[in-house]
């Protein structure tokens, strides 16, 4: 049984974004049409809904769209750059903990612990694992 391809409006509706966002993500290479109709309409895979959600989650975490596009296109990432960014973010977080009020220090310490645990989990993901 073949998967039904989605027109741009259907993809946008399922992903909860505007058609303009789908156009922009297509322009950046974050998603690619699976094919075009005889009339020139772009058709997308249903799995592109998940791809859009992944891109949005990464963007919320501060990863620029251009970097996301590069990572998704090449499936290779310079890990040292990522670790440098994480290290700098952790230094910033630690500085915030050190200068925060006692009430905020507990919250910031909990956030730092969570970040460290997420990094530990991320390091356990096989490097050849494909992104969804």
């Amino acid at each position: 049984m073949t998967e039904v391809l989605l027109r741009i409006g259907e993809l946008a509706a399922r992903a909860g974004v505007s058609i303009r966002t789908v156009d922009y993500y297509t322009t950046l290479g974050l998603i690619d049409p699976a094919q075009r109709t005889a009339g020139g309409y772009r058709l997308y895979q249903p799995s592109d809904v998940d791809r859009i959600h992944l891109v949005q989650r990464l963007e919320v975490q501060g990863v620029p769209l251009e970097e996301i596009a590069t990572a998704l296109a090449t499936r290779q990432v310079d890990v040292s750059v990522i670790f440098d960014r994480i290290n700098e973010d952790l230094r910033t977080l630690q500085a915030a903990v050190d200068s925060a009020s006692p009430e905020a220090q507990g919250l910031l310490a909990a956030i730092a612990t969570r970040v460290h645990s997420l990094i530990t989990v991320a390091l356990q993901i096989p490097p050849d694992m494909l992104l969804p």
Side-chain angles (χ1 to χ4, degrees):
M1 188 168 162
T2 60
E3 224 173 2
V4 176
L5 298 177
L6 306 172
R7 285 188 174 195
I8 190 170
E10 295 167 318
L11 175 63
R14 287 189 186 186
V17 298
S18 68
I19 292 173
R20 192 172 189 178
T21 297
V22 174
D23 276 334
Y24 186 57
Y25 284 7
T26 302
T27 301
L28 292 176
L30 294 163
I31 55 175
D32 292 311
Q35 68 184 57
R36 287 188 178 264
T37 66
Y41 290 101
R42 291 171 283 171
L43 299 174
Y44 295 87
Q45 296 287 340
S47 61
D48 285 328
V49 171
D50 293 330
R51 172 70 69 98
I52 289 170
H53 292 156
L54 171 65
V55 168
Q56 289 178 320
R57 284 193 307 273
L58 291 170
E59 187 178 20
V60 165
Q61 296 303 317
V63 180
L65 289 174
E66 291 76 15
E67 286 184 27
I68 297 169
T70 300
L72 292 173
T74 63
R75 302 280 184 182
Q76 298 172 353
V77 178
D78 183 354
V79 178
S80 65
V81 172
I82 293 171
F83 283 132
D84 288 344
R85 182 183 292 166
I86 290 170
N87 190 38
E88 184 60 34
D89 289 345
L90 290 174
R91 281 190 203 140
T92 302
L93 183 57
Q94 187 59 51
V97 169
D98 293 343
S99 64
S101 67
E103 298 83 19
Q105 281 183 343
L107 177 60
L108 290 171
I111 292 170
T113 300
R114 180 69 174 147
V115 168
H116 284 285
S117 67
L118 290 171
I119 292 168
T120 301
V121 169
L123 290 173
Q124 296 172 6
I125 297 172
D128 58 346
M129 178 179 262
L130 297 177
L131 293 173

